Amino acid sequence: MDDISNTEITAGIINSTTSTRVLDALTQLREDIISGVLEPGEKLRVQHLKSKYGVGAATLREALSLLVSESLVTATAQRGFNVAPISLQDLKDISETRIMLEVQAAVDSVQNGDEDWEVQLIGAYHRLTKVEENSTNLAENSTAIWEQRNIEFHEALVAACSSRWVRQFRSILHTHSERYRRLSLQTVGISRDVHEEHKQIFDAAMARDADTLSKVLTKHIEKTFDIVHKLVDDAK
Amino acid sequence: MDDISNTEITAGIINSTTSTRVLDALTQLREDIISGVLEPGEKLRVQHLKSKYGVGAATLREALSLLVSESLVTATAQRGFNVAPISLQDLKDISETRIMLEVQAAVDSVQNGDEDWEVQLIGAYHRLTKVEENSTNLAENSTAIWEQRNIEFHEALVAACSSRWVRQFRSILHTHSERYRRLSLQTVGISRDVHEEHKQIFDAAMARDADTLSKVLTKHIEKTFDIVHKLVDDAK
DNA sequence: AAAATTAAAAATATCGACATTTTTATATTG
DNA sequence: CAATATAAAAATGTCGATATTTTTAATTTT
């Protein structure tokens, strides 16, 4: 089973090289769900969507079924598929669970990470810094780049965590966090503070300072919740 | 979205009432994977399996895609589906991660559980006890019943945990634990000790004694790992 | 005989069509 | 006119057939 040069789907994670119609649809659907083009709770009509994504019914259904893996889509017998709903309570749950898993994973990484992990983390941090430094004039397309690099940075941070399962669950929750962030902050740019937070996380990780890392990482995750929470309250 | 009387699939969990071919195939496939009829790592040929399960290719593919949700099946582009592989390391990972999540969930339950939670737990414990008491003469069909009631007991224990995500992840890991147990202990019956363990868990939960609960539950989960570990070593 | 090429077989991925079920709109009844 | 029953529309779930890709087997070449 050599997956190095091939597209493997483990609950939520895709390493794309080869492409299929299912994977294409899956990728587009995921992006549309996370970005809010497909609204939370919305019914996903196969008949309608298959023309939109240019695939047959069976292919679309397969893509939707795979998205159930990531809890981005729900399936109900005889009643089709829906975009996963959202709620403030759900975001709270996600944030808290994510803190538990991500802190554990990061600490584990710091304790087990070898030189290669360090190198990868430095690279990811560097690429992230590059887009965050010019955060004032953040154009639309660079937002997409920031999102990608932010994911990669967090992924690199926990890459040396010895538990495949913790990494997998963490990754799913991170995707959901991102969805909430994007649904809430669509118009808001990336504030300068975020870079400072990432710096603190990076520094603590490189210093192998587990305690500090726990603290700053926890705060970092809590902040997403706080911001969305505040926005929801303000909207009332 | 009223799912009370309908079959909802959230990553890994199914509440069946209505049935579809996809759900039927899914249920059978899951059982065959957990029981070892379909061996770890085995290639799942759609052409071959569709006659075995009496469904069309698209339907089978959809069922397999849904099983990716539970990490019981892996999908690789252009190379089809495989049964999730197993390893001792994976079981170790599962056990450790499960301890983290299940202990947290149980403690949370104990702190938040209302009267209804207690009633449900008592019921589940009672049903489990009934099959465990006659564990000496455990026929094949009562093993299946025990397995079902064991799942229900553990589910009832954490039912009052406020985090949907923790419950979901815990459930997936529990299924995988069960798979390892069944793959390893196919001929071995359920030992008497297990009932004593379940009793301790139940008593601690009812007494709302979080500390004791943590301890006995941790031990309970560790034991599955130890037994399988020992079996693997002996096989050498 | 090992490596590389080619040919045949098998398997995956995909679509279009259709039966069944659910939903919506309309009509009927107390 | 509210509640219920009925009819029409829409959507889901399903299968069989087929193009494409991968795998296996046979053949050729160095």
Side-chain angles (χ1 to χ4, degrees):
Chain A
M1 216 109 328
D2 185 6
D3 295 312
I4 293 164
S5 65
N6 246 294
T7 305
E8 159 114 7
I9 307 166
T10 321
I13 297 126
I14 288 166
N15 254 321
S16 104
T17 304
T18 315
S19 177
T20 63
R21 310 300 281 279
V22 171
L23 265 327
D24 289 350
L26 172 67
T27 305
Q28 282 183 66
L29 279 163
R30 188 198 286 114
E31 173 58 25
D32 286 348
I33 290 170
I34 293 172
S35 69
V37 170
L38 296 168
E39 290 175 26
E42 182 178 340
K43 196 158 193 353
L44 295 165
R45 291 184 188 75
V46 174
Q47 291 291 345
H48 183 240
L49 291 177
K50 66 179 209 168
S51 50
K52 192 152 190 172
Y53 293 91
V55 294
T59 303
L60 187 69
R61 286 182 132 273
E62 195 174 322
L64 289 171
S65 296
L66 286 169
L67 280 170
V68 173
S69 310
E70 306 173 43
S71 296
L72 287 172
V73 165
T74 64
T76 313
Q78 232 77 41
R79 222 150 282 174
F81 300 92
N82 285 80
V83 177
I86 57 169
S87 68
L88 196 59
Q89 192 197 324
D90 181 47
L91 176 60
K92 187 160 176 273
D93 185 3
I94 287 167
S95 302
E96 288 171 358
T97 309
R98 194 185 146 202
I99 286 169
M100 169 171 62
L101 294 173
E102 187 149 342
V103 168
Q104 146 117 18
V107 168
D108 200 45
S109 252
V110 151
Q111 280 158 1
N112 299 324
D114 58 8
E115 197 180 78
D116 185 54
W117 166 73
E118 276 184 12
V119 172
Q120 291 298 123
L121 182 59
I122 291 168
Y125 177 71
H126 182 70
R127 283 188 290 275
L128 179 59
T129 302
K130 282 267 203 163
V131 279
E132 286 184 336
E133 274 177 344
N134 316 29
S135 67
T136 39
N137 57 343
L138 216 62
E140 268 200 27
N141 67 9
S142 62
T143 300
I145 293 171
W146 175 82
E147 278 158 1
Q148 185 55 39
R149 295 189 178 180
N150 183 48
I151 288 170
E152 282 163 12
F153 172 69
H154 282 271
E155 207 82 51
L157 181 69
V158 300
C161 167
S162 55
S163 170
R164 203 179 60 83
W165 286 96
V166 171
R167 289 205 312 275
Q168 180 184 310
F169 292 152
R170 188 216 65 86
S171 172
I172 291 172
L173 291 175
H174 191 254
T175 302
H176 278 261
S177 280
E178 266 298 288
R179 179 178 176 226
Y180 278 93
R181 191 190 58 76
R182 290 179 66 174
L183 291 177
S184 312
L185 315 179
Q186 281 177 335
T187 50
V188 181
I190 297 138
S191 74
R192 257 256 158 60
D193 316 279
V194 174
H195 185 238
E196 178 56 28
E197 287 171 46
H198 283 147
K199 184 181 187 310
Q200 287 177 5
I201 292 167
F202 174 71
D203 289 344
M206 292 304 291
R208 310 265 177 172
D209 181 348
D211 282 351
T212 306
L213 180 57
S214 295
K215 260 180 238 163
V216 293
L217 189 53
T218 298
K219 262 202 184 153
H220 182 64
I221 297 170
E222 278 171 346
K223 200 165 183 183
T224 307
F225 174 71
D226 288 342
I227 291 171
V228 177
H229 190 287
K230 197 161 176 295
L231 279 177
V232 172
D233 277 351
D234 288 353
K236 283 178 186 169
Chain B
M1 219 117 317
D2 185 5
D3 296 309
I4 293 164
S5 64
N6 247 294
T7 306
E8 158 114 8
I9 306 164
T10 321
I13 296 128
I14 288 166
N15 255 321
S16 102
T17 304
T18 315
S19 177
T20 62
R21 310 300 281 280
V22 171
L23 265 327
D24 289 349
L26 171 66
T27 306
Q28 283 183 65
L29 280 163
R30 187 198 287 115
E31 173 59 25
D32 287 347
I33 290 170
I34 293 173
S35 70
V37 170
L38 296 169
E39 289 173 29
E42 181 179 342
K43 197 158 189 354
L44 295 166
R45 290 182 188 77
V46 174
Q47 292 289 345
H48 183 241
L49 291 178
K50 66 179 209 169
S51 49
K52 194 155 190 171
Y53 293 91
V55 294
T59 302
L60 187 70
R61 286 179 70 84
E62 195 175 320
L64 290 170
S65 296
L66 285 169
L67 280 168
V68 174
S69 309
E70 307 174 41
S71 297
L72 288 172
V73 166
T74 62
T76 314
Q78 231 77 42
R79 222 151 281 175
F81 300 92
N82 284 80
V83 178
I86 57 169
S87 69
L88 197 59
Q89 192 198 325
D90 182 47
L91 176 61
K92 186 160 178 277
D93 185 2
I94 287 167
S95 302
E96 288 171 358
T97 309
R98 195 186 145 201
I99 287 169
M100 169 171 61
L101 294 173
E102 188 150 340
V103 167
Q104 146 118 16
V107 168
D108 201 44
S109 254
V110 151
Q111 281 159 0
N112 299 323
D114 57 9
E115 199 182 75
D116 185 57
W117 167 74
E118 276 185 11
V119 172
Q120 292 298 124
L121 181 60
I122 291 169
Y125 177 70
H126 182 71
R127 284 189 290 276
L128 179 59
T129 303
K130 283 265 205 165
V131 282
E132 286 185 337
E133 274 178 345
N134 316 28
S135 67
T136 39
N137 58 343
L138 216 63
E140 268 201 27
N141 67 8
S142 62
T143 301
I145 293 171
W146 176 83
E147 279 159 359
Q148 185 55 39
R149 294 189 179 180
N150 183 46
I151 288 169
E152 282 162 12
F153 173 69
H154 281 271
E155 208 81 50
L157 182 68
V158 301
C161 166
S162 57
S163 170
R164 203 179 62 83
W165 286 95
V166 170
R167 290 204 312 273
Q168 180 183 312
F169 292 153
R170 187 215 68 85
S171 174
I172 292 171
L173 291 175
H174 191 254
T175 302
H176 278 261
S177 280
E178 266 299 288
R179 179 180 178 221
Y180 277 94
R181 192 190 57 77
R182 291 178 66 175
L183 291 177
S184 311
L185 314 178
Q186 280 177 336
T187 51
V188 181
I190 296 137
S191 76
R192 260 258 156 58
D193 314 281
V194 174
H195 184 237
E196 178 56 28
E197 287 171 44
H198 282 146
K199 184 181 185 312
Q200 287 176 5
I201 291 167
F202 174 72
D203 288 343
M206 292 304 291
R208 311 264 174 169
D209 181 349
D211 282 353
T212 306
L213 180 58
S214 294
K215 261 180 235 161
V216 294
L217 189 53
T218 299
K219 260 198 184 157
H220 182 64
I221 297 170
E222 277 171 347
K223 202 166 182 181
T224 307
F225 173 71
D226 288 342
I227 291 172
V228 177
H229 190 286
K230 197 160 176 294
L231 278 177
V232 173
D233 277 353
D234 289 353
K236 280 178 187 168

